[in-house]
Amino acid sequence: PFHQDASNATCVFWQPGAGADSTGSWSREGCKTTHREGTVICHCNHLTYFAVLLVHSPPSSFPLLPSLTHITTIGCSLSAAATLSPLLLCCFSRQRLMDNTTRIHMHLLAALLLLNCSFLLPLLAASAKGLCQITATLLHASLLYTLAWMAAEAFHLLLLLIKVYNVYIQHYLLKLCLFAWGLPTLAVVAVFVFKRDTYGYHTIRTSEGYRNATMCWLTSLQAYYATFSYAGLILLFNMLVLGRVMMILRRIHRQKGQARKDCMTVLGLTCLLGTTWGLVFFSFGVFFVPQLYLFTILNSLQG
């Protein structure tokens, strides 16, 4: 027992890192904290360095992870079902004649379906290292696919807005597929073949440095920052296109009764272009917790 006037104190121990580049972190694994009238009692089922550290943390630090996990699981499941339905309807429909806009929508739905299924896959996968690397690779690839097809949606929308005469691009859809399916595939395959340890068990930590859980994701900071930059460039382009659309709508539909229709159009384009993913850039300060919930709810339900 430790006498400490802190109801938020939590029993932790220092767990060294597994590799040479990892310094280790604080962990609560195997330790239970009990508070009794200003006294903190630690019950641990293992022997470490015969010392347990008490670190102050806000009460909201630990409950975030389970609640966000439940929201993500429910949202991704609903999105997977919602994206699968039109894809099946399109595949089994007798009317196969579709324009480029509809085809791009179908590709984006396929990418979103793959992303949602990839995110749900670790919940069912075993703890084998090789399987975790494959799961992380699939998750990374599906994220890159989804972002690329959202950029393709923005580019196609921009063409529809700015063209005065019919603009013909030879093998237009094929070129979009090479960009949105081909380039991410080449990048992910190259990383998996030449530097496979980039994918593996990623430790999820709170802002206080506690080790709470692991997921199959990127383990390299360089790969993480490269993905983050890639997403940032695409989101910036999509937001510029969305801003251009709002300016055009404001100029064209100024008559009475159009405001509500314009709001619904902008709301639909916000989901279509994935601009809600830009909430990731507000994960700091007082915006951190609201941003986590908004980001999780909106993006898990994007499908």
Side-chain angles (χ1 to χ4, degrees):
F2 294 85
H3 293 278
Q4 182 112 347
D5 187 15
S7 58
N8 295 328
T10 306
C11 301
V12 295
F13 72 98
W14 183 258
Q15 183 166 339
D21 297 332
S22 179
T23 58
S25 62
W26 298 113
S27 175
R28 297 188 306 147
E29 185 178 357
C31 291
K32 179 181 178 182
T33 306
T34 305
H35 300 276
R36 293 179 183 175
E37 299 178 355
T39 301
V40 180
I41 303 176
C42 299
H43 302 274
C44 296
N45 58 9
H46 53 76
L47 299 176
T48 54
Y49 297 104
F50 300 99
V52 179
L53 300 181
L54 301 179
V55 182
H56 296 271
S57 61
S60 60
S61 296
F62 298 114
L64 284 179
L65 187 60
S67 59
L68 291 174
T69 302
H70 292 317
I71 293 172
T72 303
T73 303
I74 295 173
C76 289
S77 300
L78 293 175
S79 289
T83 52
L84 181 62
S85 301
L87 287 173
L88 292 177
L89 186 64
C90 176
C91 291
F92 293 101
S93 175
R94 294 181 179 179
Q95 298 179 353
R96 295 297 180 89
L97 297 177
M98 297 186 296
D99 57 4
N100 285 332
T101 301
T102 306
R103 290 191 180 97
I104 293 173
H105 290 343
M106 292 299 106
H107 282 284
L108 177 59
L109 287 176
L112 279 172
L113 176 62
L114 183 61
L115 177 62
N116 290 317
C117 293
S118 300
F119 204 91
L120 294 172
L121 189 61
L123 301 176
L124 305 175
S127 58
K129 181 180 179 181
L131 184 59
C132 182
Q133 288 182 331
I134 295 175
T135 303
T137 305
L138 184 61
L139 179 59
H140 188 215
S142 60
L143 176 62
L144 299 182
Y145 295 148
T146 302
L147 291 170
W149 277 110
M150 289 190 293
E153 289 276 7
F155 177 76
H156 184 69
L157 179 61
L158 192 61
L159 283 184
L160 295 177
L161 289 174
I162 66 174
K163 69 178 184 180
V164 179
Y165 304 100
N166 288 331
V167 177
Y168 175 74
I169 300 177
Q170 190 175 12
H171 305 300
Y172 175 61
L173 190 62
L174 177 61
K175 292 178 180 178
L176 288 181
C177 288
L178 289 176
F179 164 74
W181 292 116
L183 291 182
T185 301
L186 286 176
V188 171
V189 169
V191 173
F192 187 80
V193 171
F194 296 105
K195 200 173 181 182
R196 186 172 300 185
D197 57 349
T198 301
Y199 301 110
Y201 292 105
H202 171 75
T203 302
I204 302 174
R205 297 182 176 90
T206 63
S207 57
E208 288 76 26
Y210 290 101
R211 175 174 297 185
N212 291 324
T214 58
M215 66 174 292
C216 300
W217 182 233
L218 299 173
T219 60
S220 169
L221 284 178
Q222 290 81 4
Y224 173 79
Y225 287 130
T227 304
F228 195 78
S229 302
Y230 169 83
L233 291 175
I234 287 179
L235 292 174
L236 178 61
F237 173 70
N238 289 6
M239 292 181 72
L240 291 175
V241 173
L242 182 62
R244 178 63 175 166
V245 171
M246 293 175 66
M247 292 175 61
I248 293 176
L249 290 177
R250 184 179 179 183
R251 185 175 66 247
I252 295 178
H253 301 297
R254 288 185 176 179
Q255 60 267 34
K256 187 177 179 180
Q258 291 294 325
R260 184 176 180 180
K261 182 180 178 181
D262 292 348
C263 291
M264 296 303 295
T265 301
V266 172
L267 181 62
L269 290 175
T270 300
C271 297
L272 187 68
L273 303 183
T275 52
T276 54
W277 287 76
L279 289 169
V280 71
F281 297 100
F282 295 92
S283 55
F284 58 87
V286 295
F287 301 104
F288 182 69
V289 175
Q291 174 268 344
L292 281 178
Y293 280 99
L294 280 176
F295 181 89
T296 305
I297 293 171
L298 294 177
N299 294 324
S300 65
L301 291 173
Q302 186 181 7

